[in-house]
Short mmCIF file of all heavy atoms in Angstrom, two decimals:
data_model
loop_
_atom_site.label_atom_id
_atom_site.label_comp_id
_atom_site.label_asym_id
_atom_site.label_seq_id
_atom_site.Cartn_x
_atom_site.Cartn_y
_atom_site.Cartn_z
N MET A 1 -8.26 5.46 -5.03
CA MET A 1 -8.91 4.18 -5.32
C MET A 1 -10.02 4.34 -6.35
O MET A 1 -10.23 3.48 -7.21
CB MET A 1 -9.48 3.58 -4.04
CG MET A 1 -8.48 2.87 -3.17
SD MET A 1 -9.27 2.13 -1.72
CE MET A 1 -7.93 1.08 -1.13
N ALA A 2 -10.76 5.45 -6.25
CA ALA A 2 -11.87 5.67 -7.18
C ALA A 2 -11.37 5.88 -8.60
O ALA A 2 -12.01 5.44 -9.56
CB ALA A 2 -12.69 6.87 -6.72
N GLU A 3 -10.24 6.53 -8.76
CA GLU A 3 -9.71 6.83 -10.10
C GLU A 3 -8.76 5.76 -10.61
O GLU A 3 -8.71 5.48 -11.81
CB GLU A 3 -9.01 8.19 -10.08
CG GLU A 3 -8.50 8.63 -11.44
CD GLU A 3 -7.99 10.06 -11.43
OE1 GLU A 3 -8.56 10.91 -10.71
OE2 GLU A 3 -7.01 10.34 -12.15
N MET A 4 -7.99 5.15 -9.71
CA MET A 4 -6.97 4.17 -10.10
C MET A 4 -7.07 2.93 -9.22
O MET A 4 -6.15 2.63 -8.45
CB MET A 4 -5.57 4.78 -9.97
CG MET A 4 -5.38 6.08 -10.69
SD MET A 4 -3.75 6.81 -10.32
CE MET A 4 -3.81 8.31 -11.30
N PRO A 5 -8.16 2.19 -9.27
CA PRO A 5 -8.33 1.05 -8.37
C PRO A 5 -7.25 -0.01 -8.50
O PRO A 5 -6.92 -0.69 -7.53
CB PRO A 5 -9.71 0.50 -8.75
CG PRO A 5 -9.95 1.00 -10.14
CD PRO A 5 -9.29 2.33 -10.21
N GLU A 6 -6.66 -0.14 -9.68
CA GLU A 6 -5.64 -1.16 -9.90
C GLU A 6 -4.31 -0.78 -9.26
O GLU A 6 -3.41 -1.63 -9.17
CB GLU A 6 -5.45 -1.41 -11.40
CG GLU A 6 -4.70 -0.32 -12.15
CD GLU A 6 -5.51 0.95 -12.41
OE1 GLU A 6 -6.71 0.99 -12.06
OE2 GLU A 6 -4.94 1.92 -12.96
N ARG A 7 -4.18 0.45 -8.78
CA ARG A 7 -2.92 0.91 -8.18
C ARG A 7 -3.07 1.20 -6.69
O ARG A 7 -2.19 1.83 -6.09
CB ARG A 7 -2.41 2.14 -8.92
CG ARG A 7 -1.94 1.81 -10.33
CD ARG A 7 -1.70 3.05 -11.16
NE ARG A 7 -0.67 3.91 -10.60
CZ ARG A 7 -0.35 5.09 -11.12
NH1 ARG A 7 -0.97 5.54 -12.20
NH2 ARG A 7 0.59 5.83 -10.55
N CYS A 8 -4.16 0.74 -6.09
CA CYS A 8 -4.38 0.91 -4.65
C CYS A 8 -4.69 -0.43 -4.03
O CYS A 8 -5.40 -1.25 -4.62
CB CYS A 8 -5.52 1.89 -4.39
SG CYS A 8 -5.18 3.58 -4.90
N PHE A 9 -4.19 -0.65 -2.82
CA PHE A 9 -4.35 -1.93 -2.16
C PHE A 9 -4.75 -1.74 -0.71
O PHE A 9 -4.00 -1.15 0.08
CB PHE A 9 -3.04 -2.74 -2.23
CG PHE A 9 -2.53 -2.94 -3.62
CD1 PHE A 9 -1.66 -2.03 -4.20
CD2 PHE A 9 -2.94 -4.03 -4.38
CE1 PHE A 9 -1.19 -2.20 -5.49
CE2 PHE A 9 -2.49 -4.21 -5.68
CZ PHE A 9 -1.61 -3.29 -6.24
N ASP A 10 -5.94 -2.22 -0.37
CA ASP A 10 -6.37 -2.29 1.02
C ASP A 10 -6.10 -3.72 1.48
O ASP A 10 -6.73 -4.66 1.00
CB ASP A 10 -7.85 -1.95 1.13
CG ASP A 10 -8.37 -2.00 2.56
OD1 ASP A 10 -7.61 -2.42 3.45
OD2 ASP A 10 -9.55 -1.64 2.77
N VAL A 11 -5.15 -3.90 2.41
CA VAL A 11 -4.71 -5.24 2.79
C VAL A 11 -5.41 -5.75 4.05
O VAL A 11 -5.04 -6.79 4.58
CB VAL A 11 -3.18 -5.28 2.98
CG1 VAL A 11 -2.47 -4.87 1.71
CG2 VAL A 11 -2.75 -4.40 4.15
N GLY A 12 -6.44 -5.02 4.53
CA GLY A 12 -7.09 -5.42 5.77
C GLY A 12 -6.28 -4.95 6.97
O GLY A 12 -5.23 -4.33 6.85
N ILE A 13 -6.80 -5.26 8.16
CA ILE A 13 -6.15 -4.80 9.38
C ILE A 13 -4.90 -5.65 9.63
O ILE A 13 -4.89 -6.57 10.44
CB ILE A 13 -7.12 -4.84 10.57
CG1 ILE A 13 -8.37 -4.01 10.26
CG2 ILE A 13 -6.45 -4.29 11.84
CD1 ILE A 13 -9.43 -4.03 11.34
N ALA A 14 -3.86 -5.34 8.87
CA ALA A 14 -2.63 -6.13 8.90
C ALA A 14 -1.45 -5.21 8.59
O ALA A 14 -0.90 -5.20 7.49
CB ALA A 14 -2.71 -7.28 7.89
N GLU A 15 -1.09 -4.40 9.58
CA GLU A 15 -0.08 -3.35 9.35
C GLU A 15 1.28 -3.92 8.98
O GLU A 15 1.97 -3.37 8.11
CB GLU A 15 0.03 -2.46 10.60
CG GLU A 15 -1.17 -1.58 10.85
CD GLU A 15 -2.32 -2.29 11.53
OE1 GLU A 15 -2.15 -3.49 11.91
OE2 GLU A 15 -3.39 -1.68 11.70
N GLY A 16 1.70 -5.00 9.64
CA GLY A 16 2.98 -5.59 9.30
C GLY A 16 3.03 -6.04 7.86
O GLY A 16 4.02 -5.80 7.14
N HIS A 17 1.95 -6.67 7.41
CA HIS A 17 1.89 -7.09 6.01
C HIS A 17 1.89 -5.89 5.07
O HIS A 17 2.51 -5.93 4.00
CB HIS A 17 0.64 -7.94 5.78
CG HIS A 17 0.34 -8.20 4.33
ND1 HIS A 17 1.24 -8.84 3.49
CD2 HIS A 17 -0.73 -7.88 3.56
CE1 HIS A 17 0.72 -8.91 2.27
NE2 HIS A 17 -0.46 -8.33 2.29
N ALA A 18 1.20 -4.81 5.46
CA ALA A 18 1.16 -3.61 4.61
C ALA A 18 2.57 -3.10 4.34
O ALA A 18 2.91 -2.73 3.21
CB ALA A 18 0.31 -2.52 5.27
N VAL A 19 3.41 -3.08 5.38
CA VAL A 19 4.78 -2.59 5.22
C VAL A 19 5.61 -3.55 4.38
O VAL A 19 6.34 -3.14 3.46
CB VAL A 19 5.43 -2.36 6.60
CG1 VAL A 19 6.92 -2.07 6.46
CG2 VAL A 19 4.74 -1.21 7.34
N THR A 20 5.52 -4.85 4.66
CA THR A 20 6.33 -5.81 3.90
C THR A 20 5.85 -5.92 2.46
O THR A 20 6.66 -6.07 1.54
CB THR A 20 6.28 -7.18 4.60
OG1 THR A 20 6.85 -7.06 5.90
CG2 THR A 20 7.07 -8.22 3.82
N PHE A 21 4.55 -5.84 2.24
CA PHE A 21 4.00 -5.81 0.88
C PHE A 21 4.55 -4.59 0.13
O PHE A 21 4.94 -4.67 -1.04
CB PHE A 21 2.48 -5.79 0.95
CG PHE A 21 1.78 -5.69 -0.37
CD1 PHE A 21 2.11 -6.52 -1.42
CD2 PHE A 21 0.75 -4.77 -0.56
CE1 PHE A 21 1.44 -6.45 -2.64
CE2 PHE A 21 0.09 -4.68 -1.76
CZ PHE A 21 0.43 -5.52 -2.82
N SER A 22 4.61 -3.44 0.82
CA SER A 22 5.17 -2.23 0.22
C SER A 22 6.63 -2.44 -0.13
O SER A 22 7.11 -1.98 -1.19
CB SER A 22 5.03 -1.05 1.18
OG SER A 22 3.66 -0.78 1.46
N ALA A 23 7.36 -3.13 0.75
CA ALA A 23 8.77 -3.40 0.48
C ALA A 23 8.93 -4.26 -0.78
O ALA A 23 9.82 -4.02 -1.59
CB ALA A 23 9.40 -4.10 1.68
N GLY A 24 8.06 -5.24 -0.92
CA GLY A 24 8.11 -6.08 -2.12
C GLY A 24 7.85 -5.28 -3.39
O GLY A 24 8.53 -5.46 -4.41
N LEU A 25 6.88 -4.38 -3.32
CA LEU A 25 6.60 -3.53 -4.48
C LEU A 25 7.79 -2.62 -4.79
O LEU A 25 8.14 -2.43 -5.96
CB LEU A 25 5.35 -2.68 -4.20
CG LEU A 25 4.02 -3.43 -4.16
CD1 LEU A 25 2.91 -2.54 -3.60
CD2 LEU A 25 3.64 -3.93 -5.55
N ALA A 26 8.40 -2.06 -3.75
CA ALA A 26 9.55 -1.18 -3.95
C ALA A 26 10.73 -1.95 -4.55
O ALA A 26 11.45 -1.43 -5.41
CB ALA A 26 9.96 -0.54 -2.63
N ALA A 27 10.93 -3.19 -4.11
CA ALA A 27 12.01 -4.01 -4.64
C ALA A 27 11.82 -4.28 -6.13
O ALA A 27 12.79 -4.52 -6.86
CB ALA A 27 12.11 -5.32 -3.86
N ALA A 28 10.56 -4.24 -6.58
CA ALA A 28 10.25 -4.48 -7.99
C ALA A 28 10.19 -3.18 -8.79
O ALA A 28 9.76 -3.19 -9.94
CB ALA A 28 8.93 -5.22 -8.11
N GLY A 29 10.59 -2.07 -8.18
CA GLY A 29 10.68 -0.82 -8.93
C GLY A 29 9.53 0.14 -8.76
O GLY A 29 9.54 1.23 -9.35
N MET A 30 8.53 -0.20 -7.96
CA MET A 30 7.43 0.71 -7.71
C MET A 30 7.79 1.69 -6.59
O MET A 30 8.79 1.52 -5.89
CB MET A 30 6.16 -0.07 -7.33
CG MET A 30 5.79 -1.17 -8.29
SD MET A 30 5.51 -0.58 -9.98
CE MET A 30 3.92 0.25 -9.78
N ILE A 31 6.98 2.74 -6.45
CA ILE A 31 7.16 3.70 -5.35
C ILE A 31 5.89 3.66 -4.51
O ILE A 31 4.93 4.39 -4.78
CB ILE A 31 7.43 5.12 -5.87
CG1 ILE A 31 8.69 5.12 -6.74
CG2 ILE A 31 7.59 6.10 -4.70
CD1 ILE A 31 8.99 6.47 -7.36
N PRO A 32 5.86 2.80 -3.49
CA PRO A 32 4.65 2.65 -2.68
C PRO A 32 4.55 3.72 -1.60
O PRO A 32 5.52 4.02 -0.90
CB PRO A 32 4.81 1.26 -2.06
CG PRO A 32 6.28 1.04 -2.01
CD PRO A 32 6.88 1.79 -3.17
N PHE A 33 3.36 4.31 -1.48
CA PHE A 33 3.02 5.18 -0.35
C PHE A 33 2.17 4.34 0.60
O PHE A 33 1.02 4.02 0.29
CB PHE A 33 2.24 6.41 -0.83
CG PHE A 33 3.11 7.51 -1.37
CD1 PHE A 33 3.76 7.36 -2.59
CD2 PHE A 33 3.28 8.68 -0.66
CE1 PHE A 33 4.56 8.38 -3.10
CE2 PHE A 33 4.08 9.71 -1.15
CZ PHE A 33 4.73 9.56 -2.38
N CYS A 34 2.75 3.95 1.72
CA CYS A 34 2.08 3.10 2.69
C CYS A 34 1.54 3.98 3.81
O CYS A 34 2.31 4.52 4.61
CB CYS A 34 3.05 2.06 3.24
SG CYS A 34 2.31 0.90 4.42
N ASN A 35 0.22 4.16 3.85
CA ASN A 35 -0.40 5.06 4.81
C ASN A 35 -0.97 4.28 5.99
O ASN A 35 -1.87 3.46 5.82
CB ASN A 35 -1.50 5.88 4.14
CG ASN A 35 -1.97 7.02 5.01
OD1 ASN A 35 -2.42 6.83 6.13
ND2 ASN A 35 -1.88 8.23 4.49
N ILE A 36 -0.42 4.52 7.17
CA ILE A 36 -0.84 3.83 8.38
C ILE A 36 -0.96 4.85 9.50
O ILE A 36 -0.11 5.74 9.63
CB ILE A 36 0.18 2.74 8.79
CG1 ILE A 36 0.32 1.69 7.67
CG2 ILE A 36 -0.24 2.05 10.09
CD1 ILE A 36 1.35 0.61 7.97
N TYR A 37 -2.01 4.76 10.30
CA TYR A 37 -2.10 5.64 11.46
C TYR A 37 -0.88 5.43 12.34
O TYR A 37 -0.43 4.30 12.56
CB TYR A 37 -3.36 5.34 12.26
CG TYR A 37 -4.66 5.78 11.61
CD1 TYR A 37 -4.70 6.27 10.30
CD2 TYR A 37 -5.86 5.69 12.30
CE1 TYR A 37 -5.89 6.65 9.72
CE2 TYR A 37 -7.06 6.08 11.72
CZ TYR A 37 -7.07 6.55 10.43
OH TYR A 37 -8.25 6.94 9.85
N SER A 38 -0.37 6.52 12.90
CA SER A 38 0.87 6.46 13.67
C SER A 38 0.83 5.41 14.77
O SER A 38 1.76 4.62 14.92
CB SER A 38 1.16 7.85 14.29
OG SER A 38 2.22 7.77 15.21
N SER A 39 -0.25 5.39 15.56
CA SER A 39 -0.31 4.45 16.68
C SER A 39 -0.33 3.00 16.21
O SER A 39 0.16 2.11 16.90
CB SER A 39 -1.52 4.73 17.56
OG SER A 39 -2.72 4.55 16.82
#
């Protein structure tokens, strides 16, 4: 985030949205790394 703020997204405490947002990015050709605590 510090080096590439335009390529990082904090979506708030919304894990379902984080995954679906990542899916949308992937469908558009990006390679999203979606980091979520396991629990």
